[in-house]
């Protein structure tokens, strides 16, 4: 990465610029009432996020405390030990598994003398790297600016992140050293840009709603295989990668059902534990694809050992959005990675009513399409779709208020 030290090597006679991965230390807290494996799962996921952002976690540190230290999160003594460890391992960045307060981050940077970022900023950084559309980039920048605004005062050396690496993308390279007034001015500009986009999108959404085609959205934990399933169902080529948050911008395609009717199928951004509030607000437009849907398909990675916890995290977000009462089909994906029929049957019994599929091999896709057809044909969906959708949008608005970055997402619809 830029700022860490680039070097060149020859491969087949070609000179290729390679960027060493930043070395990171992942730090988490094990609090009373939390199972040890829950803490380990969370910090392992943090390491995956760091890898997605371009860093290599060289060691994971878990501190047991009754509650987070208000000044140093892990306590001053542990922070001093961590400083020695960072020097020994030549770590470039320290990543904490929870959102740090501005005071905690400032105090930790003073002791560690390293770049300190938390889970929230790490996820925002990944979103900044992944956002492809103009609107996606605007929404990420707004989320980052809202995160940075209370952290401007006394942030010290961390304000200057021109060295590059994770935690420096998006507005980080150009706006971290501006004052509150200039950040608020930038937020105002971004609001106006999104308002213009919202006007154009509103017309598209209205047209889409008048078509009468049911909207079915894929939701689920990040890296559960939603985009692969979307491609398999629609013969599309949406970007797929075995990393967290490979998909940010929603995509909609038409799909022909066995009943002879068409539906609109939407691929949406994945959820995750400890999903930052800034992201829920900033990507409200993306999440509204789920809120405006007639049917949700909850895609679960059946091969993941933490699938039950992933399901709980998704259900928590759906409850927060006020849309957990929508018709939902649970789709257990990646069954091709489940060895043996006995294990598959056990998973089926643990999730009654779920459809087992493999987006990779195509197994179970016909059963999933028939399940969609059956629900849509049972008449369980509200006929007044526009009224229902406005009600769902109001639920989100009541949960979070109407943030300035809110827009109506209207991606292109193609065959």
């Amino acid at each position: 990465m830029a700022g860490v030290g680039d070097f060149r090597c020859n491969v087949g006679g070609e000179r290729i610029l390679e960027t060493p991965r930043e070395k990171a230390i992942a730090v988490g807290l094990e609090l009373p009432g939390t199972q040890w494996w829950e803490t380990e799962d969370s910090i392992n996921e943090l390491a995956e996020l760091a890898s997605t952002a371009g860093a290599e976690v060289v060691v994971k540190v878990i501190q047991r405390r009754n509650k987070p230290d208000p000044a140093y999160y892990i306590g001053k003594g542990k922070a001093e030990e961590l400083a020695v460890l960072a020097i020994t391992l030549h770590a470039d960045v320290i990543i904490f598994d929870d959102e740090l307060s501005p005071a905690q981050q400032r105090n930790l940077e003073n002791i560690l003398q390293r770049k300190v970022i938390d889970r929230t900023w790490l996820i925002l950084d990944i979103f900044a790297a992944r956002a492809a559309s103009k609107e996606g980039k605007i929404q990420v920048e707004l989320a980052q600016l809202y995160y940075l605004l209370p952290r401007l005062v006394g942030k010290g050396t961390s304000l200057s992140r021109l060295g590059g690496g994770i935690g420096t993308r998006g507005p980080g390279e150009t706006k971290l050293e501006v004052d509150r007034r200039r950040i608020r001015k930038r937020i105002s500009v971004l609001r106006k840009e999104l308002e213009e986009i919202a006007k154009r999108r509103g017309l598209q959404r209205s047209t889409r709603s008048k078509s009468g085609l049911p909207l079915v959205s894929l939701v689920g934990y990040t890296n559960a295989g939603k985009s692969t399933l979307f491609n398999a169902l629609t013969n599309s080529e949406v970007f797929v990668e075995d990393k967290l948050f490979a998909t940010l911008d929603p995509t909609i395609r038409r799909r022909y059902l066995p009943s002879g009717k068409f539906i609109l199928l939407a691929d949406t951004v994945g959820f995750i534990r400890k999903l930052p509030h800034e992201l829920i607000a900033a990507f409200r437009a993306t999440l509204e694809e789920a809120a405006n849907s007639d049917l949700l398909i909850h895609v679960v990675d059946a091969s993941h050992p933490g699938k039950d916890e992933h399901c709980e995290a998704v259900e928590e977000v759906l409850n927060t959005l006020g849309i957990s009462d929508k018709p939902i089909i649970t789709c257990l994906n990646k069954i091709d990675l489940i060895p043996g029929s006995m294990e598959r049957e056990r998973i089926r019994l643990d999730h009654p009513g779920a459809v087992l599929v493999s987006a990779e091999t195509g197994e179970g896709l016909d059963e999933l399409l028939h399940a969609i057809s059956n629900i849509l044909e049972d008449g369980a969906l509200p006929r007044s779709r526009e009224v229902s959708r406005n009600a769902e949008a109001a639920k989100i608005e009541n949960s979070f208020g109407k943030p300035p970055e809110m827009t109506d997402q209207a991606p292109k619809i193609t065959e």
Side-chain angles (χ1 to χ4, degrees):
M1 288 192 167
V4 178
D6 299 336
F7 63 93
R8 295 181 180 273
C9 64
N10 289 321
V11 178
E14 296 182 359
R15 291 169 61 82
I16 300 176
L17 178 65
E18 293 189 357
T19 305
R21 294 166 68 86
E22 283 186 287
K23 291 183 179 181
I25 296 177
V27 183
L29 276 186
E30 183 177 323
L31 301 173
T34 303
Q35 300 293 331
W36 65 268
W37 53 266
E38 291 178 321
T39 306
E40 285 203 358
D41 282 351
S42 184
I43 202 167
N44 287 337
E45 185 175 78
L46 184 70
E48 286 188 66
L49 288 167
S51 177
T52 299
E56 175 191 2
V57 173
V58 293
V59 69
K60 302 166 189 172
V61 177
I62 296 177
Q63 169 76 344
R64 293 182 178 87
R65 289 185 63 90
N66 290 328
K67 61 180 180 180
D69 183 76
Y72 295 92
Y73 181 70
I74 56 175
K76 187 174 182 180
K78 192 65 177 181
E80 291 171 344
E81 291 179 17
L82 189 59
V84 175
L85 183 62
I87 294 173
T88 304
L89 298 176
H90 303 286
D92 304 295
V93 56
I94 316 297
I95 308 174
F96 288 81
D97 196 27
D98 287 292
E99 183 168 328
L100 300 173
S101 70
Q104 287 172 332
Q105 187 168 5
R106 182 167 61 250
N107 294 336
L108 286 167
E109 285 176 337
N110 289 336
I111 287 183
L112 298 173
Q113 293 298 300
R114 294 289 189 278
K115 182 168 56 180
V116 173
I117 63 176
D118 57 21
R119 186 185 183 97
T120 297
W121 185 258
L122 178 61
I123 294 175
L124 290 172
D125 184 76
I126 294 172
F127 272 54
R130 296 283 185 175
S133 68
K134 178 181 178 182
E135 182 185 9
K137 293 176 181 178
I138 291 175
Q139 290 180 116
V140 172
E141 184 174 351
L142 273 171
Q144 288 184 312
L145 291 176
Y146 280 125
Y147 174 90
L148 288 171
L149 196 55
R151 291 168 168 79
L152 285 178
V153 177
K155 208 169 184 311
T157 57
S158 65
L159 275 176
S160 181
R161 296 185 180 173
L162 301 181
I166 66 171
T168 64
R169 287 180 281 246
E173 294 182 0
T174 58
K175 301 179 179 66
L176 282 174
E177 294 177 340
V178 301
D179 57 18
R180 288 177 179 268
R181 180 184 57 81
R182 293 186 61 190
I183 283 189
R184 288 196 176 101
K185 182 178 180 180
R186 176 61 180 166
I187 288 175
S188 178
V189 170
L190 294 176
R191 288 179 183 178
K192 292 179 181 179
E193 290 186 32
L194 284 178
E195 287 173 0
E196 292 300 316
I197 295 174
K199 291 178 182 178
R200 295 194 297 269
R201 185 179 299 116
L203 295 175
Q204 294 180 3
R205 173 165 284 175
S206 176
T207 301
R208 195 174 71 199
S209 180
K210 290 177 182 178
S211 70
L213 296 179
L215 178 62
V216 179
S217 290
L218 302 178
V219 299
Y221 210 77
T222 180
N223 208 27
K226 294 185 301 300
S227 295
T228 304
L229 179 61
F230 181 84
N231 288 341
L233 290 173
T234 62
N235 295 318
S236 302
E237 295 183 356
V238 171
F239 178 72
V240 173
E241 189 176 5
D242 187 21
K243 286 188 177 181
L244 304 181
F245 297 119
T247 301
L248 293 187
D249 297 308
T251 307
I252 296 179
R253 299 286 187 271
R254 287 205 294 179
R255 167 71 205 194
Y256 191 72
L257 292 177
S259 62
K261 297 181 180 179
F262 278 103
I263 62 168
L264 298 177
L265 188 66
D267 184 22
T268 63
V269 65
F271 302 150
I272 199 169
R273 280 175 291 199
K274 304 177 184 177
L275 188 65
H277 184 276
E278 292 89 350
L279 279 182
I280 295 180
F283 275 78
R284 181 173 162 180
T286 300
L287 296 174
E288 271 212 331
E289 288 303 333
N292 292 327
S293 298
D294 298 299
L295 172 65
L296 302 178
I297 300 178
H298 180 187
V299 184
V300 181
D301 181 354
S303 68
H304 198 287
K307 57 182 174 295
D308 292 335
E309 289 72 30
H310 290 181
C311 288
E312 291 176 3
V314 172
E315 290 167 2
E316 182 180 344
V317 175
L318 294 179
N319 283 328
T320 303
L321 295 174
I323 58 175
S324 59
D325 57 344
K326 283 184 173 292
I328 298 178
I329 295 175
T330 300
C331 175
L332 298 176
N333 191 23
K334 303 186 183 182
I335 61 167
D336 54 302
L337 301 180
I338 306 298
S341 57
M342 293 290 291
E343 181 63 18
R344 290 191 183 187
E345 187 60 28
R346 185 190 66 80
I347 292 176
R348 191 188 298 272
L349 291 175
D350 288 342
H351 300 271
V355 180
L356 274 63
V357 307
S358 169
E360 191 68 31
T361 66
E363 181 181 354
L365 295 186
D366 289 340
E367 182 183 351
L368 176 60
L369 290 172
H370 278 97
I372 295 173
S373 294
N374 291 338
I375 290 182
L376 295 178
E377 290 176 357
D378 281 346
L381 302 179
R383 301 306 301 170
S384 182
R385 299 172 72 241
E386 189 63 37
V387 172
S388 173
R389 291 179 177 186
N390 288 339
E392 300 302 340
K395 288 182 181 179
I396 299 182
E397 192 166 312
N398 290 335
S399 297
F400 302 106
K402 184 147 184 162
E405 62 272 29
M406 169 57 194
T407 60
D408 285 329
Q409 185 73 23
K412 295 180 180 178
I413 304 174
T414 60
E415 295 286 350

